[in-house]
Amino acid sequence: MNKSKERTLVIIKPDAVQRNLLGEIIKRFERKGLKIVGLKMMQLEDVMLEEHYSHHKDKAFFFGLKKFMESAPVTVIVLEGLEAVKTVRFICGPTCGREADAGTIRGDFSMSRQLNIVHASDSVESAEKEIYRFFNTDELFDYPKIDFDFLYSDDEKE
Ligand code: CMP
């Protein structure tokens, strides 16, 4: 696979939707040069959240996390680019907003460990699973974009 076509999943969480931050967050990914190849709003429900956060099932915060994630619709986005998984995690910052550097999404907009504005896939393997958890194949778009030639050097485009 072309290495500039790595994909990752971002969930813009209910706190960001309620706080009118959708545009601000999408803008940060766009201006970095990440390509939006899927985007939609959806209401998350128990079954999907139990699957998505199954690794947190035994944690004390699991019930609260589900309640929060169901409290309003979320926006799910698939972003594409060279090392997209790692790059998007840098842009988001660490889990706890209070500990995140200024300039990151969580550092700039979150005071919380749970209400932390975004979720981003943590590896290429989990991105693959997470993308198909939230998107059907016909909701993902493979299209040429005019800024591509000015985002990457020749060897990075291969
Ligand atoms: P996310 O990146 O979506 O992955 C798991 C989520 O669980 C995390 O962001 C937070 O929203 C939440 N979370 C992680 N740790 C804690 C914690 N200690 N207390 C409450 N919520 C947490």
Side-chain angles (χ1 to χ4, degrees):
M1 192 193 64
N2 187 319
K3 59 186 182 183
S4 64
K5 283 185 172 282
E6 185 175 300
R7 290 181 171 184
T8 190
L9 179 93
V10 169
I11 305 175
I12 307 184
K13 297 186 178 185
D15 51 338
V17 175
Q18 295 287 6
R19 292 175 54 205
N20 309 315
L21 292 171
L22 272 180
E24 172 66 43
I25 292 161
I26 294 168
K27 180 179 84 178
R28 289 177 177 226
F29 296 125
E30 276 193 300
R31 71 181 185 187
K32 179 73 171 170
L34 289 148
K35 179 175 172 182
I36 298 174
V37 296
L39 188 149
K40 66 181 175 182
M41 198 169 213
M42 63 194 295
Q43 175 63 53
L44 297 183
E45 281 163 13
D46 257 29
V47 175
M48 202 175 248
L49 284 167
E50 295 207 356
E51 188 186 326
H52 183 67
Y53 286 132
S54 56
H55 49 298
H56 291 307
K57 227 167 179 161
D58 298 329
K59 309 258 172 67
F61 62 81
F62 184 63
F63 180 77
L65 176 62
K66 273 200 312 181
K67 192 169 161 225
F68 160 56
M69 292 297 289
E70 290 173 351
S71 66
V74 299
T75 297
V76 283
I77 310 181
V78 179
L79 296 166
E80 185 180 278
L82 182 61
E83 298 186 341
V85 170
K86 192 168 85 178
T87 306
V88 166
R89 302 265 301 177
F90 276 134
I91 294 170
C92 293
T95 303
C96 181
R98 294 186 302 279
E99 293 163 11
D101 282 339
T104 64
I105 289 172
R106 288 165 174 160
D108 287 350
F109 300 115
S110 168
M111 284 292 288
S112 172
R113 187 173 293 277
Q114 182 166 102
L115 282 67
N116 60 356
I117 309 286
V118 279
H119 164 83
S121 307
D122 64 4
S123 68
V124 174
E125 295 69 37
S126 44
E128 174 86 6
K129 281 192 208 129
E130 292 182 356
I131 288 167
Y132 292 105
R133 181 171 298 142
F134 295 101
F135 285 86
N136 298 319
T137 45
D138 63 358
E139 295 172 315
L140 297 171
F141 300 90
D142 191 9
Y143 60 102
K145 206 152 166 294
I146 56 170
D147 57 4
F148 184 72
D149 279 346
F150 294 92
L151 282 168
Y152 299 110
S153 65
D154 286 344
D155 60 310
E156 289 169 331
K157 282 179 203 159
E158 284 158 17

